[in-house]
Amino acid sequence: MSLNTENAGFGGWKAQWITKPTTHHKSWSRYSVEVKITVETRGANVLFGVRDESDYIGCALDAEERTVSLYAVEGGVRREWGKAPAPELEGQPANVAVAIVQSADTVRVYLNGRQALTASDIELRPGTVGFKTDAGQTAVYQELRVYAEDGRSLYVNRFYEPTAIQFTASSANSPGIGLRLDENTVSVCESPVSVDSPLFRRTFTIPAGVVKAVAHVYAAGWYELRINGRKVDNRVLAPANTPYDRIMLYDTYDVTSALVLGGNAIGLWLGNGYNLNYSRWGWKWKRDKAAILQLDIELADGTSQQIITDESWLTTDSPIMTNDIYDGETFDGRREQLGWDTYDFQGEGWLPAIAAVPPEGELQPNAQPPVRKFDPLEPVRILRPRDGVLVYDFGQNIAGWVDVRVEGAAGSKLTLKYSELIDATGNIDPWTNRRANATDVYILTGRGVENYEPRFTYHGFQYVEVSGGLEPIEMWAVPIHADVREIGRFASSDAMLNRIQRNIRWSLLNNLVSIPTDCCQRDERTPCLMDSATVEEAAIHNFDMRLYYRKWLGDIADSLGNPDWSGDKVTLPWYLYWYYGDTEVLQDNYESMKSYIDHLLAKWPGGIVEEGFGDWCAPNEDGWENYFREVAIVNTALYYRQAAVVSEAAGVLGQAEDRRHYAALAAAIKRAFHARFHQGGGVYGSGSQTAQVMPLAFGIVPEDNVMQAVSSLVAAITAKDNHLDTGIYGTRYLLDVLADHGHINLAYTLLTREDYPSFGWQIGQGATTLWEQWSFKGGMHSHDHAMFGGIGTSFYTRLGGIQPLAPGYAKIGIRPYVPNGLEWVEACVDTAKGRIVSAWRKEGDRLHFDIEIPAKTTAVVALPDGTASFARVEHIVGPGRHQFTV
């Protein structure tokens, strides 16, 4: 069963949106509350069993007395239940994790894990949750979790999303994540979004043989589609993440082979996905989960049949007790209803689904390659850092989860904690996870050997801690990423260079889910335009990215940030045109490209862009303000390049007037750049490596100043003792500029250094992916960021020398650079025209070149002339294999 990207014959939706009926929050009873509180002044209250603002149960934290107490308020009258010391409230502000557990007629209060107070023989009542401050009290509440008595999540709110607080009186904590209450405030949860994981099923009969059956599916939340007891295919984390208020991309499946003559069953399993608790910087659902499905069946007798979601479907809770993109998943195997997705299943206790309010966005077909599971990795070692704990090392940092086989008694818990790092004793170090708990829990059925892997979460990790008194029989790490075909291969005689290429490749894939993410382990994983912009050419040289990036362009069409962020909507269509010959993508995005440059012109009429991130995360001493570098130079250089791209695109599309207009604008920006930043003698701005690289990379430097500017770049590198001192944009173009101006040996030295800061230093610390910063740990750091991977473009275009001279490689350039110390290079790229190969090797004082050119193309092969002058001899060649010796 495969994805049908054409969606042929789909005539529109007749189905309706459905959802699961949920228990009203004012009917919650005997639940547990967990919340982290920063008591800024005097104290704070947590409320539960709330009927209204004059009828509730409260837990009071008094930071002045350092006590915790329980009380009830009925009709506005307060009645105390008990008080106890709370040394956890020492300090100002005081940070304390509060857990309140209701059971039968008892309430227990835990502070930072310590049982601080118990009240018994009390009358509990159902009701929602809330917070309260008294006179002089101010507090910030974070990470609220509400669990039913059986452990199932009722509600989770990290207060990430300022526009959807869901409490009656409060404000977002402006310095960071959280819900802020000023004094004398009561704030009650009034509109909670459910965090459950429901199942939906429908049975039907087929009276004749099936000729063709196609299912169209979408969900507000992640979904899994099942027919007759089986998952339809191996995609995961569907549907694609998009700006949901504009675009909702539905998936289409050919399910012909899944259906049978007679009785059939179709099932949908939903999870939270990119819900309210997803990062404030990402696109998220702010509503309850819902689904829509339409199955169109053509029968052998010439008739047709259609199955749609409506209120005839049945629904219930799944065995997934909690599911969260950051926290992980808890799965209670004892609650699994085997065969729920088969025709003969009885479904006792299942309820009718109810109609859901349709979302605002437009349903459109999804042509992007789906996210899938790939070949699992076996552990390379198993550590035992302390009693009852194992740590599995899979030898590679990945995005995904584990697949585990285990045996034990019913009710036993297998706890799996994920991390990129371990400490010196072998325990996992979850530091880069930040606020992501990254924990999966499987509760065993006790029925022999059991298999578990999560559905509705994913993690960034190399290490997994196993606890709970159980030892897995087997465990594998399962990588997940978008199913983009590998089309580029690079290898060399230098093991370090090959490791860098491997790290780039893994970092790109780990951060390609349905959006290109910034990272895959911490509580972020957001659609980061800047990170994507710096690595897109590297991704295009390694993988077939055409359909993936077409979808991404739809996501970012309305972005209006600075050139280092939103300029991706201009340069990416050009890359897709230049590397794939995709003129249609230029046509589709041209108005967006043009309007963005017009926006920049209106905002920065003088041509100099003063705002942005700049050359993000160059080597620094840590601290937010130190991550920015050469903001105006980077953004103005990008503005120039983006204006020039729009001019070139206008030329391709026959827009002659636009071509002249944007060419003139680009020329004006170039003049403004030179006037503002040129200090004389080829030095730009501060003369840093980035300040020199950016204007050289984009041809901003006047011809008579180029050699001086290059000399100043070399001087800037020398001043750093031949170490790079660049962030993500400077690093992307550093090797290109040095190679193109006669300094390939210096570029190779920078690339292969093994002391800080360098890729080699990271690898020496065990890196199997690229890091967010050059340092090991910092205030903002992951160990799986793709954004420094842009330099991988140069492996193909400079060391291999493969470049298109016409769109889609209709004409090919082969211009390899050969540094001292590197004995051979092999690079190949599968293009729309066919495979291009450029390989060279040294033998004594000779250089051998092996070139392969695909059919119906020509190539200009520019090879060294064998002298010390760096001159080149050009050979015009046609299809086939060509060998040269210099």
Side-chain angles (χ1 to χ4, degrees), residues 108-442:
R108 297 187 302 277
V109 179
Y110 298 83
L111 301 180
N112 293 344
R114 178 185 70 88
Q115 185 168 330
L117 178 61
T118 301
S120 301
D121 299 323
I122 56 179
E123 182 183 349
L124 299 175
R125 80 284 296 271
T128 186
V129 296
F131 308 125
K132 178 175 176 288
T133 51
D134 297 321
Q137 295 183 345
T138 59
V140 176
Y141 298 83
Q142 296 179 317
E143 297 192 39
L144 170 66
R145 292 174 172 84
V146 182
Y147 297 97
E149 194 171 22
D150 63 1
R152 189 181 299 277
S153 288
L154 290 173
Y155 181 60
V156 177
N157 198 335
R158 287 195 183 87
F159 306 110
Y160 275 6
E161 180 49 61
T163 65
I165 293 297
Q166 302 180 324
F167 276 69
T168 53
S170 56
S171 61
N173 184 36
S174 57
I177 297 162
L179 181 80
R180 171 176 295 280
L181 260 64
D182 294 327
E183 65 174 343
N184 293 320
T185 303
V186 176
S187 186
V188 176
C189 181
E190 63 173 351
S191 54
V193 170
S194 174
V195 291
D196 58 354
S197 174
L199 304 173
F200 296 86
R201 72 185 304 269
R202 162 79 192 273
T203 58
F204 57 97
T205 57
I206 296 180
V210 177
V211 175
K212 186 176 183 181
V214 176
H216 309 282
V217 187
Y218 190 75
W222 282 331
Y223 75 87
E224 181 176 295
L225 174 63
R226 303 182 67 86
I227 294 178
N228 293 332
R230 295 180 180 273
K231 187 179 175 187
V232 167
D233 72 358
N234 69 346
R235 82 188 65 195
V236 295
L237 309 185
N241 186 217
T242 58
Y244 298 119
D245 58 340
R246 288 195 295 112
I247 306 168
M248 302 184 299
L249 297 179
Y250 65 85
D251 297 316
T252 298
Y253 302 79
D254 183 341
V255 297
T256 307
S257 62
L259 300 179
V260 298
L261 186 65
N264 290 263
I266 187 166
L268 284 170
W269 194 335
L270 301 192
N272 290 315
Y274 300 97
N275 78 336
L276 189 72
N277 289 301
Y278 182 48
S279 168
R280 69 173 70 181
W281 312 118
W283 303 309
K284 65 181 71 62
W285 291 108
K286 303 175 186 178
R287 52 163 294 156
D288 284 338
K289 288 172 290 299
I292 187 169
L293 176 147
Q294 187 160 308
L295 171 60
D296 295 313
I297 308 169
E298 297 176 21
L299 300 176
D301 62 3
T303 63
S304 63
Q305 192 171 353
Q306 190 174 72
I307 307 300
I308 62 173
T309 44
D310 56 24
E311 290 169 291
S312 69
W313 285 58
L314 297 175
T315 182
T316 194
D317 288 322
S318 80
I320 294 178
M321 308 295 281
T322 65
N323 72 106
D324 184 90
I325 187 173
Y326 301 136
D327 285 352
E329 177 181 292
T330 297
F331 189 105
D332 190 341
R334 299 167 302 178
R335 298 175 183 273
E336 190 168 12
Q337 299 187 47
L338 298 176
W340 70 272
D341 49 2
T342 61
Y343 181 77
D344 293 328
F345 180 75
Q346 295 303 306
E348 294 180 7
W350 287 53
L351 300 173
I354 61 173
V357 176
E360 295 177 4
E362 179 185 355
L363 279 165
Q364 299 176 4
N366 183 18
Q368 184 188 47
V371 179
R372 299 192 190 277
K373 301 191 298 183
F374 290 86
D375 293 341
L377 307 179
E378 294 186 353
V380 297
R381 58 176 175 158
I382 302 174
L383 308 173
R384 296 180 181 270
R386 62 189 194 275
D387 289 344
V389 170
L390 299 100
V391 173
Y392 285 67
D393 177 2
F394 291 97
Q396 174 63 52
N397 204 3
I398 69 165
W401 50 73
V402 295
D403 180 356
V404 60
R405 295 176 68 228
V406 65
E407 186 173 13
S412 301
K413 288 185 179 181
L414 182 74
T415 300
L416 307 164
K417 294 185 177 181
Y418 298 78
S419 176
E420 294 186 309
L421 307 174
I422 55 173
D423 63 21
T425 64
N427 286 295
I428 63 165
D429 177 2
W431 181 78
T432 61
N433 291 344
R434 206 162 59 184
R435 285 177 291 268
N437 289 336
T439 302
D440 295 329
V441 177
Y442 178 63

Side-chain angles (χ1 to χ4, degrees), residues 46-111:
V46 179
L47 311 183
F48 55 101
V50 180
R51 296 175 180 175
D52 56 46
E53 292 190 7
S54 63
D55 194 342
Y56 55 84
I57 305 170
C59 174
L61 306 177
D62 190 320
E64 294 183 325
E65 293 186 0
R66 294 179 193 164
T67 60
V68 57
S69 60
L70 284 166
Y71 62 93
V73 173
E74 295 181 78
V77 178
R78 177 168 172 149
R79 177 163 52 94
E80 297 292 331
W81 279 354
K83 181 182 288 190
E88 292 82 0
L89 295 174
E90 183 176 359
Q92 189 175 355
N95 295 294
V96 59
V98 178
I100 301 168
V101 180
Q102 304 180 71
S103 59
D105 61 350
T106 301
V107 177
R108 297 187 302 277
V109 179
Y110 298 83
L111 301 180

Side-chain angles (χ1 to χ4, degrees), residues 121 180 187 526 597 620 661 704 738 760 782 885:
D121 299 323
R180 171 176 295 280
S187 186
T526 53
I597 298 301
N620 64 79
H661 169 72
D704 56 354
L738 290 172
S782 89
T885 298

Side-chain angles (χ1 to χ4, degrees), residues 150 322 448 522 629 714 730 744 775 841:
D150 63 1
T322 65
R522 69 182 179 221
R629 183 76 64 88
V714 173
I744 186 60
S775 56
R841 71 184 187 279

